[in-house]
Amino acid sequence: MDRAYTAVATPLLNNFGYDLTLAAKWGRLQVCVAREKEITEIFDAFKSGATGVLLTGPDGVGKKTIIEGVAREMVTEENVPDFMRDKRLIELDIARLVSGATAAEAESRCCAL
């Protein structure tokens, strides 16, 4: 995980997001209990060639907990696909991204990321 922090500076991304892998490294995330199946399914989807995974469901079912579990796995690098090693998982705060901006400014901010 060290190379991800020394490779490229990302001040714009750091301003509009929260680094979940860094939070996992320092133990700031909640413990992910009984979500191994879902985390494995996410990694399997990426291994099979998917470029993204979308978690859906009503409030309170544990979507964020699963993502935090993925971040924990990325830090420990146990069963993580090779392309996810030494990478960061960023939670993008859309409210912060578009606050105080017109539609055109918000779009340019998104494209800059």
Side-chain angles (χ1 to χ4, degrees), residues 8-23:
V8 178
T10 57
L12 189 63
L13 188 57
N14 294 342
N15 190 31
F16 295 116
Y18 180 67
D19 192 339
L20 293 173
T21 48
L22 188 60

Side-chain angles (χ1 to χ4, degrees), residues 4-69:
Y5 292 104
T6 59
V8 178
T10 57
L12 189 63
L13 188 57
N14 294 342
N15 190 31
F16 295 116
Y18 180 67
D19 192 339
L20 293 173
T21 48
L22 188 60
K25 180 179 179 181
W26 294 106
R28 294 183 179 145
L29 299 180
Q30 294 179 1
V31 177
C32 183
V33 178
R35 295 297 187 167
E36 292 82 16
K37 178 184 170 228
E38 291 86 354
I39 293 171
T40 303
E41 288 176 359
I42 289 172
F43 288 143
D44 289 344
F46 282 125
K47 287 178 186 175
S48 69
T51 57
V53 176
L54 181 66
L55 302 179
T56 61
D59 293 342
V61 296
K63 298 179 293 287
K64 185 166 181 157
T65 303
I66 293 168
I67 296 301
E68 290 175 354

